[in-house]
Amino acid sequence: MTPRTAMTLALVLSAGIACAPEDGGDPEVGSEEAGAFPTEPPDGPMPETGPAPADYTPTAAGSPSTDIWLGTLVREGGALSIPDLGRATDRDAYDNQPSFLLDGSAILHTAALDRRQTEIMRLAAAPGTEPGASERLTNTEEASEFSALQIPGQDAFSAIHEIRGKQYLWRYGLSGESIGPIFASAEPVGYHAWANEHVVAMFILGSPPTLQVGDALTGEIGIVAESPGRSIHRIPGTEAISFVRKVSDEEWWIERLDPTAGTSERITLTLPGREDYAWTPEGEILMGDDSRLFAWSEGSDWTEVADFSDLGVEGVTRLAVSPDGSRIAIVANRPAD
């Protein structure tokens, strides 16, 4: 990104960041009391969605068969362990992309109901959750939803809304009702993460893919990086965003992005060939490699936390940690029959 682009993005986003009101003042812009985001996308209007391209294949068609596992993340003397990891979904289909609600009570996840459609599900995250206890939230005839995240400060979540070959960032109530698009011009969105109540980083597919930062209040959007990975996260306790930058086929870095300035700095190399990770509230980064889980922390290299091969866990990819750090969700491939 050029210095001019970084400065422009900084001015755009800093102008949209609202300050907390003094006692007795008006509600903060972006709060639930203020109606959160504009009713219509601020960068709208939405373009018409025509017929799907002739070569369009729904995302669900290529989804692998995966399960979500849940466990307790235990910290003793600085060491992490997961003594009770258990399967939370158990079906020969795609259950993936877990993210914890902000109160930690449940996870949102993506489920492929068939080879045409994915929907957002809710799964209780308390210990002892029975497999298959997911509750379906979205129910769209023509569209698919995936990559759900609760929006900070709202009883709502954002997800990718895929319809006839288009992929927009969309908003839904926590019960699954569609509220509408957040941006009109950001497309096709693949993944995203909220820096705060209204600033979001988005993975935009393309050649190359780009990481773009948008303000849901003003509609301003700017490119901040090229060739990012799919794993984008808010760093706990901050408004910084982390993402994987793929410098080459062999060199992948986790970087820290200042979404206001549009600048980033390197944190650590990923495990070779791995791009999915999650943060703990204490600042560790967790990353899987086949059946094993590793942790990185400032001043230390990657160290093994657990080996789940005895449980039949293999091909660990996506991870999520509850906001209080007590629970972990792990996605793994279902074993071949």
Side-chain angles (χ1 to χ4, degrees):
M1 182 174 60
T2 66
R4 180 181 179 86
T5 303
M7 181 174 292
T8 300
L9 182 63
L11 291 173
V12 163
L13 295 181
S14 62
I17 293 176
C19 297
E22 297 180 2
D23 291 344
D26 293 332
E28 178 180 351
V29 174
S31 70
E32 289 183 46
E33 292 81 0
F37 303 158
T39 303
E40 300 293 334
D43 61 333
M46 287 290 291
E48 292 187 11
T49 303
D55 59 351
Y56 167 61
T57 301
T59 299
S63 58
S65 188
T66 54
D67 280 323
I68 299 171
W69 297 67
L70 279 170
T72 303
L73 193 57
V74 176
R75 181 183 302 274
E76 294 180 354
L80 297 173
S81 63
I82 306 169
D84 60 349
L85 190 70
R87 199 188 302 267
T89 64
D90 190 5
R91 62 191 191 102
D92 189 16
Y94 184 81
D95 289 302
N96 209 311
Q97 300 181 335
S99 68
F100 281 87
L101 294 180
L102 297 178
D103 66 3
S105 63
I107 61 171
L108 303 176
H109 71 92
T110 305
L113 304 184
D114 51 38
R115 289 296 174 182
R116 297 179 299 106
Q117 196 166 22
T118 58
E119 300 286 1
I120 302 303
M121 315 290 281
R122 177 188 178 118
L123 176 67
T129 299
E130 292 294 326
S134 293
E135 171 193 3
R136 180 174 176 175
L137 296 182
T138 58
N139 190 358
T140 51
E141 292 185 6
E142 232 187 327
S144 284
E145 286 81 23
F146 54 90
S147 299
L149 291 172
Q150 185 174 356
I151 302 172
Q154 296 188 33
D155 287 332
F157 66 86
S158 52
I160 311 308
H161 180 90
E162 179 184 19
I163 181 166
R164 286 173 287 194
K166 300 292 186 179
Q167 295 179 197
Y168 294 100
L169 188 62
W170 215 263
R171 187 162 57 125
Y172 305 81
L174 285 184
S175 297
E177 67 276 12
S178 174
I179 298 175
I182 297 173
F183 297 104
S185 60
E187 200 280 325
V189 186
Y191 313 97
H192 68 293
W194 291 96
N196 56 35
E197 286 79 1
H198 57 97
V199 174
V200 62
M202 298 173 286
F203 176 106
I204 307 293
L205 288 83
S207 298
T210 56
L211 186 68
Q212 302 188 22
V213 172
D215 189 316
L217 297 181
T218 67
E220 299 291 345
I221 302 170
I223 297 174
V224 293
E226 291 187 349
S227 301
R230 67 188 183 190
S231 195
I232 309 169
H233 301 281
R234 180 179 181 172
I235 300 176
T238 76
E239 293 189 356
I241 294 290
S242 65
F243 70 100
V244 172
R245 189 190 297 269
K246 298 183 176 181
V247 178
S248 67
D249 290 344
E250 296 78 27
E251 185 180 352
W252 295 358
W253 287 88
I254 299 175
E255 297 193 8
R256 178 187 292 104
L257 169 73
D258 179 337
T260 301
T263 56
S264 62
E265 59 181 352
R266 291 176 172 176
I267 298 175
T268 185
L269 286 164
T270 71
L271 294 173
R274 306 302 180 198
E275 63 177 313
D276 297 301
Y277 66 93
W279 289 87
T280 70
E282 288 75 16
E284 296 105 344
I285 302 175
L286 304 181
M287 179 169 271
D289 186 10
D290 196 19
S291 298
R292 297 180 296 168
L293 184 68
F294 291 81
W296 173 94
S297 60
E298 190 72 38
S300 300
D301 203 351
W302 292 101
T303 58
E304 185 174 320
V305 171
D307 186 338
F308 302 118
S309 55
D310 290 347
L311 298 176
V313 175
E314 58 185 40
V316 171
T317 52
R318 291 178 170 91
L319 306 164
V321 174
S322 62
D324 67 358
S326 67
R327 300 287 282 164
I328 185 170
I330 295 175
V331 174
N333 295 330
R334 286 181 68 87
D337 293 334

